[in-house]
Amino acid sequence: MGKRKRSAKSDEEVRASVPSVSPSPGDADGSRDGGAHGSTVTAVDRSCQEYSGPLRTIQVVVGSYERVLHGVTATLPSPRSNSNEGKPACRFADTFLFNAHSSAIRCLAVSPVSQAEGAKPGSKVILASGGTDERINLYHLSTSPPADDGSRPILPTLTEKPAMENPKNRELGSLLHHSAAITALEFPTRSKLLSSAEDNTVAITRTRDWTALSTIKAPLTRAQGRPSGDTAPPGAVPSGINDFAVHPSRKVMLSVSKGERCMRLWNLVTGRKAGVLRFDKTIMQAIGGSKQSLSEARKMAWNSTGDQFVVCYDRGAVVYQANCKPKCLVLASPPSKLCQVRYVILPGSPAGAASGHEPSTTILAASTEDGRVIFFSSGEEGHAVDGETPSDAAIPNARILGELGGSGVGVSGRVKDFVLLPLMVDPSETEVEDTLLVVTGSSDGSIRIWHVKACELIEAERSVADGSTDAAPDPSSAKSKAAGQQKPHAAQKGQLLGASETGLRITCLVAYVMTEPVSTVVG
């Protein structure tokens, strides 16, 4: 059912398989090193002024249309340094850059850190990359950056960023469980990898020996009544699973496919279909579709508690309750296409957490085609449009809490993918605030790291729950239309810590917070 190619290389050979940026375009294996792309990559390290403070390192990995898998580390001060004067500095360094696939890379996934190894320095995570070449490549990535003790040689580079190779990163091999382009990857646990492809299958793989335990087969799409946006050739039927989302209980899974106006519920215990929910035409028209042409679902995600999920289309998204009833509509203001949606949990403020009466807050974030990441309220039922009765506004719009990026701050490229990284601090340190790091990857090749204070989003969420007007106004309200107001931008939340230009057309992105270097912990 699947083939696995296991690597049996020495340490020197493994380092050559995941090299750093090299200025020599004529290395022994030009198709697998950074020299093949050294002349085309123009990396710019935009750093603010330096100042002392505890540092944190983030590992960012991006895939691209150019078949290149690019790893970048970003070193930035901890939240304790945000109170100092001046802007925090963010230093980028290349860790690897090579041709991972023979065609475009479509998706990436990284396994969660094992609870047993969470505090262990030098532990590893598994990185999976899927491309249109039907392959899933696997890698081991270290959770600790290499120690900068002067023992490692300085690697030459053609870019302004330094090259920091991590010798613990290595290639594991490839999986051939699918017969079409890979569309989505997810590690629900460290021991399982789920993958979907355009062959209408979802494969469940065990990471211990990389054996395909089960394959879920979705039905083929009917040829009539296709939605807009499919790329099937004339006379062919669009096929393939666009995305899937595993419930936090890991017992059920949702999936959406090409050319369909429905989503399917799967029982992961039995591997069989559990139900089908067809999208309502009224809802589709409310998020930008027309009567003649309705958009197909592109992305979906569950929240951490499993009581709601979101389904993303071209021009908007719909939040559903666990019983599959629509809860609210997610629309960008001003209108723009949505590229990715994700949930994030924000803890209460340090003072409230110390008293034990302040619960966590879950918000929804969505990236847009015009360079923004918009935060929406997902905890409440939503708000009816002003001037309408509850029967007229059966499905309210989710209120906007704030946004990052956009033309107002000079960011206009499409945010293809992003990752939300909450950084918790010691509750006893009441003067330090919890931080939310937002790592974005744009189609123009920019990797940006944003800093958002969790308390700002929590206060905006509470203002929405209390019915106050501190949050962003609803642009579709009757009062705004009567006043002739244009749809406004939401308030900017947070600030840009740094940006790095890769010179690639980014398609997907993963990121995680690294631990301290091994030598620093041991010594």
Side-chain angles (χ1 to χ4, degrees):
M1 184 177 298
K3 298 181 180 179
R4 180 173 60 92
K5 179 178 64 178
R6 194 170 185 86
S7 175
K9 303 179 182 179
S10 63
D11 292 342
E12 289 75 17
E13 292 174 336
V14 167
R15 297 177 189 177
S17 65
V18 188
S20 59
V21 181
S22 172
S24 174
D27 289 344
D29 190 2
S31 63
R32 300 284 295 178
D33 62 8
H37 291 271
S39 59
T40 61
V41 175
T42 57
V44 179
D45 186 9
R46 303 171 183 170
S47 298
C48 303
Q49 61 183 9
E50 299 279 348
Y51 66 91
S52 59
L55 301 180
R56 291 174 182 257
T57 303
I58 298 176
Q59 176 69 66
V60 183
V61 183
V62 297
S64 63
Y65 286 109
E66 289 82 2
R67 307 167 295 166
V68 174
L69 195 64
H70 190 181
V72 178
T73 58
T75 304
L76 62 155
S78 71
R80 295 178 177 83
S81 301
N82 292 332
S83 59
N84 295 353
E85 295 182 358
K87 297 180 179 180
C90 186
R91 301 193 301 270
F92 293 90
D94 291 317
T95 52
F96 53 85
L97 174 65
F98 63 98
N99 286 345
H101 292 262
S102 59
S103 57
I105 300 176
R106 295 277 297 272
C107 51
L108 295 173
V110 62
S111 65
V113 179
S114 174
Q115 297 295 334
E117 300 179 357
K120 180 181 177 181
S123 59
K124 297 181 180 180
V125 295
I126 302 173
L127 172 69
S129 65
T132 56
D133 57 356
E134 306 174 7
R135 303 170 68 91
I136 301 175
N137 291 344
L138 304 170
Y139 309 90
H140 257 163
L141 297 184
S142 174
T143 59
S144 300
D148 190 8
D149 52 5
S151 60
R152 296 181 296 108
I154 299 177
L155 299 177
T157 177
L158 291 178
T159 68
E160 296 182 8
K161 289 184 298 185
M164 189 177 64
E165 180 186 18
N166 197 327
K168 295 184 178 295
N169 296 342
R170 60 171 298 173
E171 183 177 2
L172 296 179
S174 300
L175 300 178
L176 302 176
H177 294 337
H178 297 278
S179 59
I182 311 299
T183 57
L185 296 168
E186 182 179 349
F187 284 94
T189 62
R190 190 176 174 86
S191 61
K192 298 293 187 300
L193 169 63
L194 273 68
S195 58
S196 64
E198 292 185 353
D199 57 1
N200 275 33
T201 61
V202 176
I204 303 175
T205 305
R206 183 172 55 197
T207 60
R208 183 179 61 187
D209 53 4
W210 302 113
T211 300
L213 301 178
S214 177
T215 300
I216 298 175
K217 180 70 174 179
L220 293 176
T221 307
R222 294 182 180 180
Q224 68 272 14
R226 294 195 214 162
S228 63
D230 68 68
T231 57
V237 178
S239 63
I241 296 176
N242 284 332
D243 197 11
F244 63 90
V246 180
H247 190 269
S249 65
R250 305 180 185 92
K251 295 182 179 180
V252 295
M253 178 187 69
L254 291 170
S255 69
V256 289
S257 302
K258 296 181 182 294
E260 288 189 337
R261 299 171 183 170
C262 64
M263 58 182 172
R264 302 181 185 276
L265 179 66
W266 303 92
N267 188 334
L268 295 181
V269 178
T270 61
R272 295 183 178 182
K273 182 180 67 176
V276 177
L277 174 63
R278 297 193 176 277
F279 301 136
D280 187 82
K281 292 185 178 180
T282 305
I283 300 178
M284 298 298 98
Q285 295 172 12
I287 60 175
S290 62
K291 295 182 180 180
Q292 294 78 17
S293 177
L294 301 178
S295 299
E296 66 184 22
R298 307 288 184 180
K299 300 288 183 179
M300 62 191 326
W302 283 94
N303 67 346
S304 59
T305 58
D307 58 355
Q308 66 175 249
F309 61 93
V310 60
V311 180
C312 181
Y313 307 87
D314 282 338
R315 292 285 179 178
V318 182
V319 176
Y320 292 88
Q321 300 176 2
N323 56 5
C324 296
K325 291 184 178 180
K327 186 176 184 179
C328 59
L329 305 180
V330 178
L331 299 174
S333 175
S336 178
K337 289 185 177 181
L338 301 184
C339 301
Q340 183 63 275
V341 289
R342 297 188 187 277
Y343 282 99
V344 64
I345 298 179
L346 299 177
S349 63
S355 62
H357 60 77
E358 192 160 351
S360 59
T361 302
T362 301
I363 63 174
L364 175 65
S367 63
T368 66
E369 197 175 40
D370 55 3
R372 294 177 293 160
V373 176
I374 307 177
F375 300 101
F376 295 89
S377 172
S378 64
E380 298 297 322
E381 292 293 335
H383 297 266
V385 177
D386 297 338
E388 295 182 353
T389 62
S391 60
D392 297 330
I395 305 177
N397 292 339
R399 293 297 295 268
I400 299 177
L401 307 179
E403 66 179 27
L404 289 176
S407 58
V409 294
V411 179
S412 59
R414 175 178 55 177
V415 180
K416 190 67 175 179
D417 202 356
F418 68 97
V419 175
L420 305 170
L421 301 174
L423 298 182
M424 314 303 178
V425 298
D426 189 355
S428 62
E429 300 181 5
T430 57
E431 72 279 0
V432 182
E433 297 176 339
D434 290 323
T435 299
L436 175 65
L437 293 180
V438 184
V439 185
T440 62
S442 302
S443 297
D444 57 4
S446 299
I447 300 175
R448 295 181 177 90
I449 299 180
W450 305 80
H451 160 258
V452 181
K453 292 182 179 179
C455 61
E456 295 182 0
L457 295 177
I458 293 175
E459 291 175 358
E461 170 74 12
R462 289 175 181 167
S463 65
V464 171
D466 297 338
S468 62
T469 58
D470 295 337
D474 189 349
S476 62
S477 64
K479 293 181 179 179
S480 299
K481 295 179 180 179
Q485 297 178 359
Q486 295 182 353
K487 296 185 178 181
H489 282 276
Q492 286 286 330
K493 302 291 184 180
Q495 63 178 351
L496 178 65
L497 296 183
S500 176
E501 300 291 340
T502 63
L504 305 171
R505 295 176 296 166
I506 295 176
T507 58
C508 48
L509 177 146
V510 292
Y512 59 91
V513 180
M514 307 185 77
T515 59
E516 296 181 2
V518 177
S519 61
T520 302
V521 177
V522 176

